[in-house]
Amino acid sequence: MEAMGLSPEFWLGKRVLVTGHTGFKGSWLTLWLQSLGAQVSGFSLDPSTEPSLFELARVSEGINDQRGDLRDLGALLEIIADTEPEIVLHLAAQPLVREGYRDPLGTYSSNVMGTLNLLEAIRQVGCVRACVLVTTDKVYANKEWLWPYREDEALGGHDPYSSSKACCELLAQSYAASFFPADKYAEHGLALATARAGNVLGGGDFAPERLIPDVLKAWSADEPVTLRYPQAVRPWQHALEPLAGYLQLAAGLYEQGPEYAGAWNFGPGEADMCSVGEVVELLANRWPQARGLRIEKSDLHEAGLLRLDSSRARQVLGWQPRWTLQQCLTQTLDWHLAWQNGDDMRTVTLGQLNLYRGAL
């Protein structure tokens, strides 16, 4: 039996808007919502990579696929007024740390002003009952201590990407307090939450400067893998893990209102907190012709140690990770090999989604 908020009984016929539906996580989420019977509209720029999961898995089939920029308030007002979503899942963003260094203005513009425009469009139109804004585990003022961060820890962000996402958290807090306060829920009817997830893996991620895409690209070309921070520890998890949390959180907001508002962490178990080098070694065990490693030092700051405490999600939502890191890497590699083999990737992707749903 599927967990709360993950069953077709809840999602069937629900009007849902997904921003960033052409991205890696957005594509997985949109397929999942389709499989649950939701009426999905998507608002996003074109896919940022070629190839992309969105195109390979034919994610646009069966949804209202709209293209646009979150920095265009008029376009957001139009799609929300036209589709009247009951639930909004906001994933659209500039998601890369190193791109944030190269283009800080574009990163802040997309992530901060885009989120602000979405919140304002939701406020003006007034049809949305539940909104989940997806940020990142990097919103915390990371002191690189050993214990995991809880949702009430101080926000920060050393680099422009992390800082821009912390700004989104502050925007959410401000709009919740100013326009959607809990004590006036009967009047406005909207419950708002933010979701902070760790480093996600999975089939169909072709973004540059992410670990697994870089590793698979190098090995496919019979080249060694270049690592910048092999000792860096990250909260690794398959993309479906936090996506399950987002769906459960959205359902909780829809049914229980402000009780489920605020910030939520969705991170892996302690056993899956591994270094970059350890993840590559695990993957190499499954790749028969894996080449060696080379270290390329970078002057750009990236966190060395980051852990999440997901106790709130576990205790309140009943959410928990279902796949070990080894299972996650196996599914990621199997997807990649199926793509190289020329398989139908919509079928493969839905097959892995159904396999994960069977573990719930």
Side-chain angles (χ1 to χ4, degrees):
M1 181 178 179
E2 290 186 294
M4 181 199 77
L6 298 176
S7 67
E9 285 76 18
F10 173 80
W11 289 99
L12 183 63
K14 288 287 192 305
R15 298 185 305 277
V16 183
L17 174 64
V18 178
T19 71
H21 70 295
T22 63
F24 166 57
K25 285 173 69 178
S27 293
W28 276 104
L29 178 61
T30 301
L31 283 174
W32 197 339
L33 286 164
Q34 285 182 55
S35 72
L36 293 170
Q39 297 180 25
V40 184
S41 296
F43 183 84
S44 180
L45 299 172
D46 292 335
S48 61
T49 63
E50 174 58 45
S52 70
L53 175 59
F54 184 82
E55 296 293 347
L56 291 173
R58 305 190 302 280
V59 177
S60 63
E61 294 182 6
I63 70 165
N64 176 19
D65 176 19
Q66 299 292 323
R67 304 301 168 86
D69 195 318
L70 284 170
R71 291 168 287 193
D72 184 347
L73 176 59
L76 280 169
L77 285 166
E78 183 177 353
I79 190 171
I80 292 177
D82 287 348
T83 61
E84 297 185 328
E86 303 162 87
I87 297 172
V88 172
L89 294 154
H90 174 47
L91 280 72
Q94 189 297 97
L96 302 173
V97 170
R98 293 173 70 82
E99 178 62 23
Y101 281 113
R102 286 189 291 267
D103 183 16
L105 184 60
T107 298
Y108 281 105
S109 177
S110 296
N111 294 354
V112 181
M113 292 308 300
T115 300
L116 177 58
N117 282 339
L118 177 66
L119 287 168
E120 182 60 17
I122 290 172
R123 184 184 75 85
Q124 290 190 29
V125 177
C127 60
V128 178
R129 287 183 54 178
C131 178
V132 176
L133 303 180
V134 176
T135 61
T136 175
D137 59 351
K138 297 173 181 64
V139 299
Y140 294 105
N142 189 5
K143 299 177 173 60
E144 306 214 7
W145 52 36
L146 294 176
W147 53 87
Y149 288 90
R150 295 182 177 180
E151 288 88 347
D152 59 357
E153 305 277 4
L155 298 174
H158 181 283
D159 61 275
Y161 164 73
S162 303
S163 171
S164 74
K165 286 296 196 172
C167 290
C168 293
E169 293 278 350
L170 294 175
L171 282 176
Q173 292 176 16
S174 175
Y175 262 68
S178 300
F179 307 114
F180 313 119
D183 60 355
K184 295 184 179 180
Y185 177 69
E187 299 176 25
H188 58 73
L190 173 68
L192 173 66
T194 60
R196 306 165 181 175
N199 290 49
V200 294
L201 312 175
D205 186 3
F206 295 97
E209 298 177 333
R210 279 188 182 154
L211 178 61
I212 302 302
D214 286 353
V215 168
L216 297 181
K217 182 178 180 180
W219 287 347
S220 296
D222 201 28
E223 297 176 352
V225 175
T226 299
L227 300 181
R228 298 186 301 273
Y229 304 97
Q231 302 305 318
V233 175
R234 296 286 187 269
W236 309 101
Q237 57 190 334
H238 195 281
L240 291 173
E241 303 278 26
L243 292 180
Y246 305 164
L247 292 174
Q248 289 181 257
L249 177 55
L253 292 167
Y254 186 92
E255 294 186 326
Q256 303 295 329
E259 181 181 338
Y260 284 75
W264 299 77
N265 286 340
F266 297 98
E270 187 65 25
D272 292 328
M273 300 289 294
C274 297
S275 72
V276 168
E278 289 170 328
V279 170
V280 175
E281 288 181 13
L282 287 171
L283 200 58
N285 293 333
R286 292 288 315 280
W287 191 285
Q289 297 169 327
R291 295 298 176 181
L293 304 177
R294 60 188 177 201
I295 309 302
E296 181 180 280
K297 292 188 177 180
S298 172
D299 294 331
L300 300 180
H301 174 272
E302 292 189 38
L305 177 63
L306 182 58
R307 300 173 187 267
L308 288 180
D309 184 324
S310 304
S311 299
R312 186 186 184 199
R314 292 169 184 262
Q315 294 171 10
V316 179
L317 294 176
W319 174 88
Q320 62 178 332
R322 302 290 175 169
W323 279 351
T324 65
L325 178 58
Q326 187 62 65
Q327 288 174 301
C328 167
L329 293 173
T330 296
Q331 294 299 316
T332 302
L333 183 56
D334 286 351
W335 192 101
H336 189 82
L337 294 175
W339 168 61
Q340 288 189 326
N341 193 47
D343 293 354
D344 184 296
M345 296 315 296
R346 182 177 177 89
T347 300
V348 171
T349 307
L350 288 171
Q352 290 197 349
L353 173 58
N354 289 332
L355 184 65
Y356 180 82
R357 288 177 62 184
L360 294 170

